[in-house]
Structure formats: C-alpha cells, structure tokens
Amino acid sequence: MESGLPKMKSMRHVIGYFLFVLSFIAWAAISILPFLNLSIEMGAAITTALIVGGEIAFVLSIALLGKEFLGKINSFFNKLNFFQKGK
C-alpha cells in the first residue's frame, strides 16, 4: 500500500504542472485573437473564456502543487523586485 502514495503524489504534481503551463497558454492565446477573423462578440466571448479558464487552471495548479511551489513563485518575483514599492 505504501508504494501507491509516491505514485499518487507524482501524478498530482504532473497534473499541477500541466495546469500551470495551461494557464499561461490561455493568456498567450488571447494575443492571437485579434489576428483571427472573428466578430467582436465572438472575440469578447473567447477572451472572457480564456481569462476565466486560465485563472481557474492557475489556482488549481497552486492547490495541487502546494505551498512550496507558491513559495518558489513568490521568491522568483521578489528577485525581480516585481512587488516592491518604489523608493
């Protein structure tokens, strides 16, 4: 029974990383929409769906990957001084 735990954890990580990458692909796909011959209504609907889907995928990936992964993301942005207030 103990051999099932590492496999389950690794599958959780694979799904988490997949959702993390998928969330960025959804945001990148928004930049392609103006070049497609879509009506304004269709473009707005697809953009909304991509934004909501990307955010849901990001939150689910953080939930699956845990606090350690969130800490890595925060430390990456802290190195870039992304969230630092201006001096």
Side-chain angles (χ1 to χ4, degrees):
M1 284 224 116
E2 290 181 27
S3 63
L5 268 176
K7 185 177 266 188
M8 179 64 85
K9 187 174 181 179
S10 66
M11 181 57 94
R12 188 179 75 185
H13 281 99
V14 168
I15 294 171
Y17 286 124
F18 173 75
L19 288 172
F20 185 74
V21 171
L22 185 66
S23 69
F24 286 98
I25 291 173
W27 279 97
I30 293 172
S31 64
I32 297 171
L33 290 178
F35 301 107
L36 300 176
N37 195 13
L38 298 173
S39 67
I40 294 174
E41 295 84 9
M42 184 63 74
I46 292 173
T47 301
T48 303
L50 287 172
I51 290 172
V52 170
E55 291 297 318
I56 290 172
F58 182 77
V59 169
L60 287 176
S61 72
I62 297 300
L64 289 173
L65 295 173
K67 290 181 182 179
E68 297 84 17
F69 187 73
L70 183 59
K72 289 179 184 178
I73 292 173
N74 285 338
S75 68
F76 173 75
F77 283 115
N78 285 339
K79 288 178 187 176
L80 296 176
N81 293 327
F82 193 73
F83 294 116
Q84 301 293 325
K85 292 183 179 178
K87 293 182 181 177

